[in-house]
Every structure is written in structure tokens, then in C-alpha cells.
């Protein structure tokens, strides 16, 4: 296991707004003081900076579109996110799905480890599926510190089909992904509007928003204003298929 893989499996959570504390109160003040002084030193000598990634818009978007009643939620790609904890803390019954372990527990949260395309997922079961900045990595495995084996691997399409099948009729998919000119990068895919419409052809897209990072700010844009890679945020609904009886 390489360093990148080890880091992603254990310590990537440091980028998220969780509050960690020491069990020993005698250690808390000196260690916290050392950490804060180190930050001041690094910033003062321009050795440290910060960046706000797309989670600043993605997580609020997902939380704002959750049902107001207790719901069954499947969170795909949960290992590096606090969204499962947030949704569980709102009273929802949350199942996290990832090939990596999840270090936190909650009474309303359960973890299912494995590849979504290789493990059984109950059909017509979930009210909501959330997939936040995950679909673009499907089949590329960059997040585990590995190089893409085959850019033609369309596990992302398999994933969308599985999501459709596991949602109840009128169930909701909340998904975010890179948006712009269609391409495959080592770290993941970028989807064009045509790609999105093809992926979601069995869904009804209820809402779609577009954001681009400009400097340190995430700015909402219209689709036709996107001239560089940004992020699209989507709410789509599974509509029951209408079977027209044969006249024969």
C-alpha cells in the first residue's frame, strides 16, 4: 500500500469541518497551542495557504434537498465525507457504501463495504441516493492512489443503472460531478451536458445548477456561461415506467 492510498484511507477527513479533541485534558492546551502557532508561522512566511473546494456548495445542496420526513438514504462514496453523519444526525436512516472503511459511527448509520457493481443492492428500497463527487471516479480508481487501467471502463454508467433500480418509484437522486468539456482525466471524468442527459435518460432531472471557481470563490453560472471546468449539482427523480398494454 503506497502513502497516498494509506493517507486516503485514514486521514483525508482532516479537510472536513469535524471537531477533534484529545481525551487527556492535560495534553489539549499545549498541543493545540503548538498547532496554532505552527499555522501562524507557516502563513507568516508564505509557506501555507488554503483552498475551499466544491464541498462548500455540494453538501448544503444535498442537505437542502433531503425529504422533511425520516427517509432511507444510500450515500455512495461515503468514506471521505461527513455528509453521512450530517444526514444521520437529522434522523434519516443512512447506509454508506464505499470500498474503504469509515471511521465514525452513528446510531442511524450503517456501512456496506464493497464495489457497488459487485455487491447486492436491494431494489426499490431507498427514498434517496446521494452521490457527491463520486461518479466521475467510477472505474478509474484514482482515489485509491492507483493509475487508471482503462479509460473506456464505464462503471459510471453501471452505477447510474444500479441507483435507478435501488430507488423507490419517485425516489430522488442527488448527485454532483465535474462539468465542462467532455474528457477523461487521471483523477476522474468531466461531463458535458450531453453526457449528463445520456446518463440520466431514465430519470427526470428536476433541478440542475452550475458553479465555477473563480479565485477563492464559487460562483453560480448559467449553463451557457461555463467556459472552463466547473461543477454541476443535480436532483433527479425516478419516475415509474408506464407499461402500455398491447392491443393484440
Amino acid at each position: 500500500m503506497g502513502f497516498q492510498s494509506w493517507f486516503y484511507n485514514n486521514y483525508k477527513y482532516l479537510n472536513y469541518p469535524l471537531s477533534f479533541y484529545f481525551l487527556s485534558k492535560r495534553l489539549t492546551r499545549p498541543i493545540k497551542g503548538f498547532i496554532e502557532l505552527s499555522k501562524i508561522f507557516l502563513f507568516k512566511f508564505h509557506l501555507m495557504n488554503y483552498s475551499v473546494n466544491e464541498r462548500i456548495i455540494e453538501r448544503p445542496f444535498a442537505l437542502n434537498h433531503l425529504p422533511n420526513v425520516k427517509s432511507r438514504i444510500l450515500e455512495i462514496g461515503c468514506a471521505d465525507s461527513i455528509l453521512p453523519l450530517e444526514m444521520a444526525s437529522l434522523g434519516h436512516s443512512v447506509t454508506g457504501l464505499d470500498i474503504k472503511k469509515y471511521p465514525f459511527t452513528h446510531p442511524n448509520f450503517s456501512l456496506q463495504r464493497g464495489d457497488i457493481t459487485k455487491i447486492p443492492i436491494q431494489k426499490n428500497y431507498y427514498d434517496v441516493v446521494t452521490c457527491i463527487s463520486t461518479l466521475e471516479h467510477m472505474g478509474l480508481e484514482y482515489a485509491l492512489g492507483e493509475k487508471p487501467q482503462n479509460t473506456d471502463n464505464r462503471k459510471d454508467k453501471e452505477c447510474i443503472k444500479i441507483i435507478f433500480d435501488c430507488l423507490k418509484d419517485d425516489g430522488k437522486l442527488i448527485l454532483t460531478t465535474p462539468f465542462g468539456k467532455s474528457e477523461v482525466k487521471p483523477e476522474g471524468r468531466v461531463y458535458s451536458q450531453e453526457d449528463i442527459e445520456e446518463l440520466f435518460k431514465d430519470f427526470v432531472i428536476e433541478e440542475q445548477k452550475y458553479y465555477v471557481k473563480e479565485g477563492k470563490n464559487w460562483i453560480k453560472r448559467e449553463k451557457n456561461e461555463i467556459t472552463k471546468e466547473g461543477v454541476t449539482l443535480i436532483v433527479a427523480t425516478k419516475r415509474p415506467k408506464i407499461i402500455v398494454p398491447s392491443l393484440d
Side-chain angles (χ1 to χ4, degrees):
M1 178 184 292
F3 173 78
Q4 184 176 352
S5 178
W6 171 81
F7 177 79
Y8 267 75
N9 275 320
N10 294 279
Y11 293 105
K12 193 182 176 195
Y13 314 95
L14 296 177
N15 286 329
Y16 294 87
L18 293 168
S19 177
F20 292 92
Y21 57 91
F22 297 99
L23 296 179
S24 171
K25 292 184 178 179
R26 286 184 296 178
L27 290 175
T28 300
R29 284 190 176 181
I31 293 180
K32 276 190 173 181
F34 173 78
I35 292 171
E36 294 306 314
L37 286 173
S38 298
K39 289 179 183 178
I40 294 172
F41 174 84
L42 292 170
F43 274 108
K44 181 177 177 62
F45 292 96
H46 306 289
L47 298 173
M48 185 177 183
N49 205 339
Y50 71 92
S51 177
V52 178
N53 64 25
E54 60 269 28
R55 303 299 178 273
I56 193 70
I57 53 175
E58 291 174 329
R59 285 178 31 249
F61 180 83
L63 293 170
N64 286 337
H65 286 86
L66 295 180
N68 292 323
V69 296
K70 182 178 179 179
S71 303
R72 288 178 181 155
I73 301 176
L74 177 64
E75 158 74 344
I76 299 173
C78 67
D80 301 326
S81 174
I82 65 165
L83 183 61
L85 292 181
E86 293 174 312
M87 296 188 296
S89 298
L90 291 173
H92 299 292
S93 177
V94 181
T95 299
L97 176 60
D98 207 298
I99 61 175
K100 297 182 285 186
K101 63 185 179 181
Y102 195 71
F104 309 108
T105 60
H106 190 284
N108 296 333
F109 174 79
S110 62
L111 176 65
Q112 187 172 4
R113 290 189 68 180
D115 183 328
I116 188 172
T117 64
K118 296 179 181 178
I119 60 176
I121 307 291
Q122 190 167 342
K123 294 185 177 182
N124 302 308
Y125 184 75
Y126 292 100
D127 302 295
V128 177
V129 173
T130 55
C131 186
I132 306 302
S133 283
T134 297
L135 187 72
E136 63 270 20
H137 303 298
M138 293 285 183
L140 301 181
E141 313 304 341
Y142 177 84
L144 293 180
E146 302 172 6
K147 293 182 179 179
Q149 300 299 313
N150 181 4
T151 56
D152 293 327
N153 183 337
R154 294 313 303 266
K155 193 181 284 188
D156 55 337
K157 290 185 176 181
E158 292 183 66
C159 179
I160 290 292
K161 184 181 184 305
I162 293 167
I163 291 172
F164 185 89
D165 290 340
C166 76
L167 278 171
K168 297 177 181 177
D169 287 346
D170 295 320
K172 185 183 295 185
L173 167 59
I174 303 170
L175 180 143
T176 71
T177 194
F179 181 85
K181 181 182 178 182
S182 182
E183 61 178 315
V184 180
K185 297 181 176 182
E187 65 271 22
R189 295 181 175 86
V190 180
Y191 295 99
S192 66
Q193 188 62 33
E194 292 75 18
D195 295 331
I196 295 293
E197 291 171 3
E198 173 63 23
L199 281 170
F200 285 81
K201 61 186 178 182
D202 292 328
F203 288 85
V204 176
I205 296 179
E206 306 285 358
E207 183 177 348
Q208 186 173 5
K209 294 183 177 180
Y210 310 86
Y211 284 82
V212 174
K213 189 174 186 182
E214 298 180 1
K216 290 187 178 294
N217 301 320
W218 285 93
I219 308 298
K220 184 180 177 183
R221 295 296 185 195
E222 297 299 321
K223 178 175 60 178
N224 57 6
E225 295 177 324
I226 304 295
T227 58
K228 63 178 182 178
E229 183 181 331
V231 177
T232 186
L233 298 79
I234 299 168
V235 177
T237 301
K238 174 184 176 178
R239 295 299 188 203
K241 293 182 178 180
I242 300 174
I243 300 176
V244 179
S246 174
L247 298 177
D248 296 337

